Amino acid sequence: METKKKVRDFLSRFIGNAKINDEDNIFDKKLVNSLFAMQLVVFVENEFGIVLQNEDLNLENFKSINSITDLIELKKDVA
Amino acid sequence: MNEEKKNIVAVVGAGIMGTGIAQRFATFGYHIILLDLSESILEKAMMRIEKNVSIRKMFQADAPDAEDIKRRIHITTDYQELKEADFVIENVSEKAEVKQEVYQKLCRCLNDECYILVNTSCIPITRLAGYMARPDKVIGVHFMNPPDVQKFSEVIKGMYTSEETINIVKRLLSSVAIECTVVNDSPGFVSNRLSHLFMNEAANLVFEGVADAEQIDQIFTEGFGHKMGPLHTADLIGIDTVMQSLQVLYEEYQDSRFRCSPLIKKMYYANKLGMKTKEGFFKY
């Protein structure tokens, strides 16, 4: 899946050599911080041409590679 | 929400830094006057604040609501509205001639007791203080990006900055949870004299084909343990701002160490300005 690969590539830039699975909670594992969260939102909007609304900015939507991918696919469909 | 404070903080320039600074001070209870050239710039700034606050709330459930923060920020394009300000934080473009024009306007409208915090990357504080009637109340505060998140700043004492100004500004920063260290005035101060050498030389390494951007940043993050590599940092700051800062450093020192990399110039001409244009050394 192209979307998932792009998300994984983006994340890998921040987490260095740490290994994560698609279901792993990246915040619980302390792999990223709040500064990263801002960059992640900008990446999702810019890379996939979608606009996230305030109600989309929920930790559940950003907690793992799978949930980020699901959010992007959902928003792409709506757009 | 933090306790409401009496002081009025005017933020001049509603770009990325000014917007983040306005958000932070409003979050800590200050009344903000946010000034820029047009209503449309100011409206965009308020939208950015709303989104940033929503992102913050993802991690911090008890963080204040965007509406509460926005209520404390008054937007204007009229310098006359700054006359009641206790502090001005100036964040306009990193061009001496633009700043000079702004300082001349500020000099005409501020009250004598107002403290002026210059948020600049490289321009000497003493040079900008020269445009003001009270240079003892002018001080440099190099806020780090993004200012609504970072907890440290470099404070710069101009030639005429008084001890009273230093102490009051230290207290002001402490009230918004920012620690600082005070250094003497010098173009680029400590942080940017060092960081811009790293960014410029990293760009030269890419330009010469010695290593790609990914490799260079990896050496800094995984090798040196930095949180972010120099090229990612350049993208975050903005290639245009990095280029302007290098030009100021070169002009002030007349030293070839600060000669801007041809690659940085090329990226500027191609509008590859980093995160803000979705592409710089990396894609976003």
Side-chain angles (χ1 to χ4, degrees), chain A:
Chain A
M1 266 175 79
E2 185 67 10
T3 300
K4 191 174 279 190
K5 183 181 179 309
K6 283 182 179 173
V7 171
R8 207 181 282 125
D9 289 348
F10 178 80
L11 278 171
S12 67
R13 215 184 292 155
F14 292 87
I15 60 174
N17 287 332
K19 295 273 177 281
I20 52 166
N21 296 315
D22 291 350
E23 281 295 341
D24 287 347
N25 187 316
I26 56 176
F27 295 101
D28 281 354
K29 283 183 159 244
K30 309 268 183 222
L31 293 171
V32 289
N33 55 24
S34 57
L35 173 57
F36 159 80
M38 290 192 183
Q39 295 176 342
L40 177 60
V41 172
V42 172
F43 161 77
V44 167
E45 291 193 324
N46 289 348
E47 181 65 34
F48 301 99
I50 56 181
V51 178
L52 297 174
Q53 305 300 327
N54 287 343
E55 55 268 25
D56 299 319
L57 300 173
N58 184 317
L59 204 54
E60 284 299 304
N61 288 331
F62 292 92
K63 66 181 182 186
S64 67
I65 290 172
N66 277 350
S67 53
I68 298 166
T69 306
D70 289 346
L71 173 70
I72 293 165
E73 296 299 342
L74 179 75
K75 299 300 285 187
K76 272 164 62 180
D77 287 347
V78 173

